[in-house]
Amino acid sequence: MHGPGVGSSIPLDPKRQAILRYARKAFVSEGYAATKIEPIAREAGVSTATLYALFDGKAELFSAVIDDAAEDFGRQMALVRAVDGDARRQLTSFALAYADFMGDPFVRAVFRLVMAERPRFQAVALRFFEKGRAEFGATLIGILIALSKAGALAPIERPSWAAGTLMGMVEHPVFFVPLVTGDEIRVRRTNAEVVEDAVETFLARYGA
């Protein structure tokens, strides 16, 4: 999850990446207000002067951390592609990948951080949420359009709405419930069980 730069042709500054890696851990575990710059520089093996040469201050570092996390998540989302098979197999494959991603405690930790600091970093938070929605949503919309054209699903007038329906059925139990109740409360259903129910419900509405 944390390997930056995958698939990028632009050389990455190892010092900058080390700073971002340790800053992400600090912001997630301590929150924005309690995070201090000096320990991050020390953990990253750079001087405070070097850190400030790369980032003007804590606010710019936080923005960079969230943008970097969004890119990191985007690389994972880009790996979710349609598989061969009937509608049930394709939708299940997508929904399982989505459930595994949204169910990752680290993903929830970053979302909590973004939501907590949204009033102060509204533009950063908006970029973060929009990127996530576009990456996964666009992939599923493409799958739904292809299945509908092939006759494997009924004609779908609004693919984005249909995609939101399936994603919402997965998001609620694997992401939003733990986000609100805390990660220490175990979800009663496995991701596979959640996905099976979601796909079954979706096909009852949109199946050919």
Side-chain angles (χ1 to χ4, degrees):
M1 164 168 284
H2 308 292
V6 177
S8 173
S9 61
I10 301 173
L12 296 174
D13 181 345
K15 290 182 179 179
R16 186 178 191 277
Q17 292 307 123
I19 292 168
L20 289 175
R21 184 168 62 252
Y22 287 105
R24 187 192 297 193
K25 291 179 181 178
F27 283 127
V28 165
S29 63
E30 300 172 26
Y32 179 83
T35 295
K36 306 298 183 187
I37 291 294
E38 291 76 12
I40 293 172
R42 198 162 52 244
E43 289 284 342
V46 302
S47 67
T48 305
T50 296
L51 189 151
Y52 278 114
L54 294 169
F55 305 96
D56 285 343
K58 187 162 74 168
E60 184 176 315
L61 178 58
F62 179 82
S63 296
V65 162
I66 298 305
D67 285 340
D68 183 67
E71 290 298 323
D72 219 1
F73 296 160
R75 284 188 288 271
Q76 291 187 74
M77 297 174 191
L79 298 176
V80 180
R81 292 288 179 263
V83 298
D84 292 333
D86 60 13
R88 184 181 300 275
R89 181 161 185 253
Q90 291 192 44
L91 295 175
T92 299
S93 176
F94 171 87
L96 278 172
Y98 189 55
D100 287 344
F101 174 78
M102 297 302 284
D104 187 325
F106 178 75
V107 172
R108 285 196 295 275
V110 173
F111 269 84
R112 285 192 187 102
L113 180 63
V114 171
M115 288 190 296
E117 300 302 331
R118 185 168 185 171
R120 194 179 334 197
F121 296 95
Q122 189 161 359
V124 175
L126 189 60
R127 285 201 306 273
F128 182 79
F129 286 116
E130 288 300 324
K131 182 172 180 60
R133 182 181 297 118
E135 293 280 0
F136 258 124
T139 297
L140 180 55
I141 288 169
I143 294 172
L144 296 180
I145 290 173
L147 288 171
S148 184
K149 286 182 177 179
L153 291 177
I156 299 177
E157 185 177 345
R158 297 180 184 273
S160 61
W161 290 14
T165 297
L166 179 58
M167 292 169 70
M169 287 190 287
V170 172
E171 287 167 3
H172 183 264
V174 306
F175 178 73
F176 286 110
V177 170
L179 188 71
V180 172
T181 60
D183 292 330
E184 67 277 2
I185 297 178
R186 294 179 60 84
V187 178
R188 294 180 180 177
R189 293 186 294 166
T190 65
N191 285 359
E193 290 170 333
V194 168
V195 165
E196 184 180 5
D197 287 346
V199 171
E200 189 69 37
T201 302
F202 185 87
L203 288 175
R205 168 65 177 81
Y206 291 101

